[in-house]
Amino acid sequence: MSKRLRSSEVCADCSGPDPSWASVNRGTFICDECCSVHRSLGRHISQVRHLKHTPWPPTLLQMVETLYNNGANSIWEHSLLDPTSIMSGRRKANPQDKVHPNKAEFIRAKYQMLAFVHRLPCRDDDSVTAKDLSKQLHSSVRTGNLETCLRLLSLGAQANFFHPEKGNTPLHVASKAGQILQAELLAVYGADPGTQDSSGKTPVDYARQGGHHELAERLVEIQYELTDRLAFYLCGRKPDHKNGQHFIIPQMADSSLDLSELAKAAKKKLQSLSNHLFEELAMDVYDEVDRRETDAVWLATQNHSTLVTETTVVPFLPVNPEYSSTRNQGRQKLARFNAHEFATLVIDILSDAKRRQQGSPLSSSKDNVELILKTISNQHSVESQDNDQPDYDSVASDEDTDPEATASKAHRQKSLDSDLSDGPVTVQEFLEVKNALVASEAKIQQLMKASRLEKQNSTPESDYDNTPNDRDLDDMGSSKKGRQRSSVWQGDSSGPDTAEPHTAPSPILPSTEDVIRKTEQITKNIQELLRAAQENKHDSYIPCSERIHIAVTEMAALFPKKPKSDMVRTSLRLLTSSAYRLQSECKKTLPGDLGPPTDIQLVTQQVIQCAYDIAKAAKQLVTITTKENNN
């Protein structure tokens, strides 16, 4: 952060102390609990960033701080400030309120329904009103009064409004005046730095002409924000725009899979999309990158003593009602891509964005976004697809969608380097890194295979310790209401149904007390691991993971070998497979010839995700046994 938060700052939604998140487009600071509701609404409602653990462009953070300190929250709570609102029974949430339903209902009313925003007098022609508001915005951005502009935007002013008389947009005006914070606000609301005015000049041109060099550089960054974010997600680097480098195209360390017919077909379909459809897909992938990265920050910053209670992540992109159901289904499909599949899609989008920017010709085709998503999704997991699993889910609620452990493998399988045509990486350096990463992956696979054999030999009585490969992990979750899209146990030749074909499924479940006791032991061990992560005691990862694995094995042993309940089977599979993955991730901290130096921060992120998956599965088993034993 550019400065420390003052202790007097409170959550804009419940007035709780020490807010640690910001809603960028609302100009507010919010606490963890309220942030969880913001995230569930989607980025089209609230764009959240952690104040300390998310990289911030300095002027973007300064813009949010300025709005917060100048009372931006009163824009969203205008009618609540009226004394008569107390008489009507309307009030804002307080820190003691429950997240659900109290805080959640208030936050939805405040930001989604805009229930407390000042309403303009009704007019017959709404378009005239919007045009008037946009003209006011056009004239206001030359000043430093951010909250006035936010108020106009909240009422419907258009950030990209082209003034018919002036022949330019609000961003042209702000850039000419050197108002960098106004430019940040307009960009958050969709203003395009590449728009030309009636003279053919862009906001960047005006910033440079006025000597506003910091603003000009920032506008170029904003112009490439989407591709910069995708590249940084994969390889931790951004292009050097000052020196004319506008794209970094990461590559897979082992690109042999990319030569498959499926991969070629996916790239061809992507290239055949119209610019409009390509932009939509790229924006959806950007949103998914944001979801995955924010999930990782969320997991790393929570009070882990509540892991087995109410702490949760956002398992897929929330529905945006402005999009078609087909597009929303495709957006949700992105959450089920494993790391390799998702990285492949991101790289293809970056490559094609660069091609389109350079003006390469496009072929025409009727292929659509769904085919691209389907092809890439099948690219590395065709063997593990359940034949009964639909290509696309209906638009789901968070109660019947299985969250994939998206953050856990997001960087391990991302064995990537930069495109040689764009980055300052020599061919020799690239080959060395590539070979080291391939060797590292082989070592990890050997460790996992050895772990599988060891477990099979030491505890043959358990059917839940079959270590799945990475492809098997994609469908490991369970629905709170048992409405799984597909069951990893069905048709799985390694599962318990085929291991003992003459054993009938057992409906008997262990006592709730036993399950809770084992869950508490697992939670205690997870807390120990997370404390080690917070204190950077990386040498404690392996012993902690071993204790967690023992506790998980003991908990799985409470259940029959062939549970009758599909929910129990799925939860047990998630529990034990996550424990194996945790051990595999923790082993990366071992010294030795395992390729390039380990990025401890990324390993820690994966370790936290695995720990969360274990806690989540344990909670599911407690819930199931409690419900069944009470019936």
Side-chain angles (χ1 to χ4, degrees):
M1 291 186 62
S2 61
K3 63 172 184 168
R4 293 180 60 87
L5 284 173
R6 296 191 297 274
S7 59
S8 61
E9 290 176 339
V10 298
C11 173
D13 297 335
C14 74
S15 302
D18 303 323
S20 53
W21 295 82
S23 175
V24 179
N25 57 324
R26 304 298 183 174
T28 58
F29 294 151
I30 51 179
C31 68
D32 281 6
E33 287 192 344
C34 291
C35 178
S36 69
V37 181
H38 278 248
R39 295 200 60 214
S40 70
L41 298 178
R43 292 188 74 252
H44 58 287
I45 302 295
S46 181
Q47 301 170 18
V48 299
R49 281 176 176 255
H50 197 277
L51 288 166
K52 295 180 180 178
H53 296 280
T54 301
W56 283 84
T59 51
L60 180 63
L61 178 58
Q62 188 181 347
M63 183 270 288
V64 178
E65 288 176 333
T66 301
L67 283 172
Y68 178 88
N69 292 330
N70 285 279
N73 196 42
S74 64
I75 295 173
W76 315 111
E77 296 183 355
H78 176 84
S79 64
L80 291 180
L81 300 176
D82 186 340
T84 60
S85 68
I86 300 176
M87 302 299 294
S88 66
R90 292 192 302 180
R91 69 169 183 86
K92 71 181 294 176
N94 63 55
Q96 290 74 38
D97 283 337
K98 291 182 179 179
V99 179
H100 299 284
N102 305 67
K103 290 184 179 180
E105 288 180 355
F106 172 74
I107 291 168
R108 288 192 186 98
K110 179 178 175 180
Y111 297 109
Q112 192 171 40
M113 309 307 295
L114 299 180
F116 315 122
V117 170
H118 174 62
R119 299 294 179 184
L120 293 175
C122 293
R123 295 176 60 169
D124 294 334
D125 189 349
D126 290 338
S127 63
V128 174
T129 301
K131 186 176 181 180
D132 291 343
L133 289 168
S134 298
K135 285 186 174 181
Q136 290 181 47
L137 177 68
H138 190 277
S139 61
S140 297
V141 293
R142 68 181 76 251
T143 73
N145 198 332
L146 285 178
E147 58 272 21
T148 296
C149 294
L150 179 61
R151 190 181 302 276
L152 291 167
L153 290 163
S154 75
L155 293 172
Q158 299 300 304
N160 273 318
F161 173 73
F162 193 89
H163 199 296
E165 290 85 28
K166 307 289 185 181
N168 57 14
T169 70
L171 192 55
H172 284 97
V173 176
S175 300
K176 188 174 182 179
Q179 293 288 349
I180 191 167
L181 300 189
Q182 293 282 21
E184 290 282 5
L185 177 61
L186 290 168
V188 166
Y189 276 81
D192 182 4
T195 299
Q196 295 182 346
D197 67 1
S198 55
S199 303
K201 293 181 179 179
T202 68
V204 178
D205 295 329
Y206 280 107
R208 286 174 176 157
Q209 287 177 7
H212 310 301
H213 301 299
E214 182 186 6
L215 172 56
E217 291 172 4
R218 178 64 185 135
L219 287 172
V220 173
E221 289 179 359
I222 291 170
Q223 193 167 359
Y224 289 95
E225 179 187 0
L226 189 150
T227 49
D228 284 4
R229 179 79 176 271
L230 299 190
F232 189 82
Y233 171 72
L234 292 181
C235 62
R237 292 175 51 207
K238 290 185 178 180
D240 185 359
H241 296 293
K242 290 182 183 178
N243 292 319
Q245 180 201 27
H246 297 309
F247 293 90
I248 290 179
I249 315 296
Q251 295 177 339
M252 293 292 182
D254 182 3
S255 59
S256 60
L257 290 172
D258 294 341
L259 302 178
S260 69
E261 291 304 315
L262 283 170
K264 292 177 182 177
K267 290 180 181 179
K268 187 175 181 181
K269 291 185 177 82
L270 191 71
Q271 292 172 0
S272 70
L273 289 176
S274 67
N275 283 338
H276 174 68
L277 285 176
F278 176 77
E279 288 171 2
E280 284 190 351
L281 177 59
M283 288 189 289
D284 293 345
V285 170
Y286 176 97
D287 285 352
E288 176 64 14
V289 165
D290 180 81
R291 185 194 68 83
R292 295 186 182 211
E293 290 187 330
T294 307
D295 264 355
V297 174
W298 178 264
L299 289 165
T301 56
Q302 293 307 291
N303 175 3
H304 298 295
S305 65
T306 62
L307 263 179
V308 190
T309 54
E310 295 303 320
T311 300
T312 185
V313 294
V314 175
F316 56 85
L317 290 175
V319 172
N320 185 338
E322 295 182 5
Y323 297 160
S324 67
S325 60
T326 302
R327 184 175 178 186
N328 275 311
Q329 289 163 10
R331 284 164 60 85
Q332 292 184 359
K333 180 73 173 178
L334 293 172
R336 301 182 62 197
F337 282 24
N338 67 30
H340 203 154
E341 294 161 1
F342 189 62
T344 302
L345 176 59
V346 170
I347 290 169
D348 286 348
I349 285 176
L350 284 168
S351 300
D352 211 51
K354 180 180 178 182
R355 181 186 66 80
R356 290 170 190 252
Q357 172 97 359
Q358 294 173 344
S360 299
L362 296 172
S363 60
S364 61
S365 171
K366 295 181 180 179
D367 291 326
N368 55 28
V369 174
E370 291 93 335
L371 289 174
I372 295 166
L373 296 180
K374 179 181 177 182
T375 304
I376 294 180
S377 179
N378 287 337
Q379 195 174 126
H380 303 296
S381 58
V382 67
E383 301 93 335
S384 63
Q385 290 291 325
D386 189 323
N387 292 333
D388 296 328
Q389 180 176 324
D391 291 330
Y392 291 90
D393 309 318
S394 59
V395 176
S397 71
D398 52 316
E399 289 194 344
D400 56 23
T401 297
D402 303 332
E404 181 199 29
T406 52
S408 65
K409 298 181 291 179
H411 295 283
R412 173 173 66 81
Q413 290 178 307
K414 252 185 246 167
S415 306
L416 305 166
D417 207 283
S418 65
D419 177 61
L420 302 180
S421 64
D422 280 315
V425 180
T426 66
V427 174
Q428 184 61 33
E429 287 173 338
F430 173 76
L431 292 176
E432 289 174 358
V433 172
K434 175 179 173 180
N435 292 336
L437 288 167
V438 172
S440 175
E441 285 293 304
K443 288 274 189 180
I444 291 170
Q445 293 300 324
Q446 289 174 4
L447 288 170
M448 293 179 69
K449 187 174 181 180
S451 177
R452 276 201 296 272
L453 293 173
E454 177 185 349
K455 189 61 189 175
Q456 289 170 356
N457 292 334
S458 61
T459 56
E461 71 279 2
S462 174
D463 286 305
Y464 303 107
D465 296 319
N466 298 310
T467 304
N469 57 36
D470 289 338
R471 290 172 304 207
D472 292 328
L473 297 173
D474 293 338
D475 292 315
M476 285 182 189
S478 84
S479 144
K480 292 181 182 178
K481 294 185 178 179
R483 296 193 296 257
Q484 284 88 357
R485 293 185 294 245
S486 65
S487 172
V488 294
W489 296 92
Q490 296 172 359
D492 183 351
S493 60
S494 65
D497 289 339
T498 55
E500 295 186 43
H502 302 297
T503 303
S506 172
I508 300 173
L509 294 178
S511 70
T512 304
E513 292 74 17
D514 286 345
V515 176
I516 290 175
R517 188 171 66 252
K518 292 298 181 184
T519 298
E520 288 174 347
Q521 183 61 47
I522 291 173
T523 305
K524 179 181 176 181
N525 292 327
I526 287 176
Q527 291 169 349
E528 182 182 356
L529 173 65
L530 295 173
R531 277 195 296 271
Q534 291 170 344
E535 296 170 5
N536 295 321
K537 296 180 179 177
H538 308 125
D539 54 350
S540 299
Y541 283 12
I542 291 178
C544 285
S545 69
E546 289 173 349
R547 285 191 286 273
I548 291 171
H549 188 273
I550 292 171
V552 164
T553 303
E554 291 175 352
M555 182 165 181
L558 294 175
F559 291 81
K561 293 181 181 180
K562 293 186 64 177
K564 189 174 182 179
S565 167
D566 287 340
M567 287 189 290
V568 172
R569 294 180 185 181
T570 306
S571 298
L572 284 167
R573 172 66 72 92
L574 176 63
L575 181 76
T576 55
S577 64
S578 299
Y580 272 113
R581 284 175 45 217
L582 176 64
Q583 285 190 306
S584 176
E585 298 295 343
C586 290
K587 285 177 181 176
K588 294 183 194 175
T589 60
L590 286 171
D593 187 18
L594 290 176
T598 301
D599 188 328
I600 291 296
Q601 184 177 358
L602 298 183
V603 171
T604 299
Q605 174 181 308
Q606 297 154 19
V607 164
I608 290 171
Q609 177 68 56
C610 290
Y612 168 77
D613 287 344
I614 293 168
K616 178 185 67 177
K619 178 190 173 184
Q620 290 169 354
L621 290 169
V622 170
T623 302
I624 294 167
T625 53
T626 301
K627 181 179 178 180
E628 293 298 323
N629 290 332
N630 288 339
N631 288 340

